[in-house]
Amino acid sequence: MTLDRRTLLKLSLAGAAVGATAVTPVITPALAQAPKKRARWICLGTKGGPRVGLGRSNPANVLIVDDVPYVVDCGPGVTKRLVEAKVALPDVRYVFVTHLHSDHVLEFGNMVYGGWSAGLNHPVEAFAPVGMEALTKAYWESIKFDVDIRITDEGKPDPRKLLVSRDIKDSGPVMNNDKVKVTAFRTPHPPITENFAYRFETPDGVFVYACDTSFNPALAKFAEGADVLIHETIYVPGVDAMVKRVKNAATLKEHLLASHTTTEDVGKIAAMAKVKKLVMTHFVPGDDPSITDEMWAADARKHYSGPIMVAKDLMEIEL
Ligand SMILES: [Zn+2]
Ligand SMILES: [Zn+2]
């Protein structure tokens, strides 16, 4: 039986999906010459929340199109995970942040700084809800001593001029170059309203990223027909145990239930949107090893019959 590369990739991804039989494709020299995909998405950090621990890193992703990295969310650990994913930090050209909760933005400045210290010499554009421009200014203020010294001492360009942050004020088009078109969609994440999902249209297909959000059926319309929906999730039975483990978290459970999407409701969104693949991420709780991949996916599968992937750090998704 002869299989083309696309079929082999599908088999490979199906093998990675929960509940599927693993298939190890053998790529012959002829197949290896098939045209390379131009777009891929790497989940860098898949644990929801700002607590740092071993295991899953905090929220971060990178979309790579024709070797240009578009970083999506900048939780603690994003810089190291980019390096581990073999993304050269000075290559980062675009950054998108969903909202200003710390688990999505705490390492934004340090990630750009990491690129600058490794040779960044082109502009970086960052997009996020209102507050990003002020946050960027405050970041450079906090590190002014070092930056000023290195500009004169090491002959580096001024990073404050290279990094351009833009506040997104409402749903709609955000960025469009000749390869990628990005659209934002406001979605509730109580008590936060300045919060966006993003749709990335690439030469190979569409990725939609919804993280964080409470259950929002309107997202299904925004994600309609996407090749991949990457959606946050919360596993309700795991929340009680987590709240007991975390200190100073009297109202944490109420916040989590009001502002996130249960594993079952994620399946509803994927089914309504008729997406070709669902990737679950931003796991809450993301540091409880007793919750298996099957437990994350089971309730979503009650509603969505397509392939479901339970994200892992450094997992790569091709279209
Ligand atoms: Zn979050
Ligand atoms: Zn959040």
Side-chain angles (χ1 to χ4, degrees):
M1 184 173 62
T2 308
L3 298 174
D4 64 20
R5 186 169 184 271
R6 192 171 180 81
T7 309
L8 287 169
L9 281 169
K10 278 185 186 160
L11 286 171
S12 175
L13 285 173
V18 174
T21 307
V23 175
T24 306
V26 178
I27 299 180
T28 65
L31 293 171
Q33 287 164 13
K36 209 175 154 234
K37 287 284 186 176
R38 295 173 62 184
R40 58 202 170 100
W41 181 286
I42 305 173
C43 302
L44 297 172
T46 56
K47 179 171 90 76
R51 283 179 298 114
V52 173
L54 298 170
R56 295 180 189 276
S57 191
N58 305 82
N61 307 263
V62 63
L63 166 67
I64 300 173
V65 180
D66 289 345
D67 298 322
V68 175
Y70 300 65
V71 176
V72 187
D73 278 335
C74 300
V78 60
T79 315
K80 192 67 179 286
R81 282 283 191 255
L82 281 167
V83 173
E84 288 168 337
K86 303 199 171 12
V87 174
L89 297 175
D91 288 352
V92 170
R93 178 70 185 76
Y94 300 97
V95 182
F96 298 86
V97 171
T98 52
H99 63 302
L100 299 187
H101 258 151
S102 60
D103 54 324
H104 298 249
V105 77
L106 200 59
E107 203 168 301
F108 162 69
N110 283 356
M111 179 195 69
V112 176
Y113 183 100
W116 177 67
S117 68
L120 177 73
N121 61 4
H122 59 71
V124 175
E125 288 179 81
F127 303 89
V130 170
M132 188 62 158
E133 293 173 12
L135 182 148
T136 302
K137 202 165 165 238
Y139 173 75
W140 290 129
E141 204 51 45
S142 76
I143 198 73
K144 184 177 188 314
F145 175 85
D146 173 277
V147 167
D148 284 347
I149 284 177
R150 289 186 194 277
I151 288 171
T152 51
D153 200 31
E154 300 178 18
K156 290 182 182 300
D158 189 337
R160 293 162 290 212
K161 292 178 182 155
L162 295 177
L163 176 60
V164 180
S165 286
R166 301 185 201 284
D167 286 353
I168 303 173
K169 301 200 171 62
D170 216 338
S171 302
V174 170
M175 196 280 296
N176 190 0
N177 57 28
D178 57 342
K179 292 172 180 171
V180 180
K181 181 180 164 196
V182 186
T183 311
F185 182 73
R186 187 188 296 277
T187 187
H189 180 42
I192 295 173
T193 55
E194 297 302 315
N195 179 61
F196 294 100
Y198 292 110
R199 184 181 178 100
F200 297 87
E201 295 175 36
T202 78
D204 291 335
V206 174
F207 296 91
V208 171
Y209 178 68
C211 182
D212 302 348
T213 180
S214 52
F215 175 53
N216 180 10
L219 268 174
K221 183 78 183 151
F222 179 65
E224 196 164 22
D227 294 274
V228 183
L229 170 63
I230 301 138
H231 200 298
E232 69 124 272
T233 198
I234 182 171
Y235 183 64
V236 177
V239 170
D240 282 320
M242 184 186 78
V243 168
K244 279 185 200 140
R245 290 198 306 273
V246 179
K247 294 188 175 73
N248 301 327
T251 58
L252 180 60
K253 184 179 178 185
E254 287 71 23
H255 158 75
L256 292 173
L257 296 179
S259 60
H260 293 284
T261 304
T262 65
T263 47
E264 180 155 4
D265 285 343
V266 175
K268 289 180 191 166
I269 298 287
M272 281 190 279
K274 298 187 174 61
V275 294
K276 296 190 183 73
K277 182 179 294 153
L278 170 64
V279 177
M280 300 170 86
T281 191
H282 194 283
F283 298 106
V284 176
D287 54 358
D288 183 345
S290 73
I291 307 171
T292 63
D293 285 3
E294 182 50 34
M295 288 158 81
W296 283 112
D299 285 341
R301 201 178 290 117
K302 287 180 192 165
H303 302 278
Y304 177 67
S305 56
I308 298 175
M309 300 176 82
V310 176
K312 305 274 190 302
D313 288 16
L314 299 173
M315 187 179 86
E316 192 167 316
I317 305 156
E318 272 191 77
L319 289 165

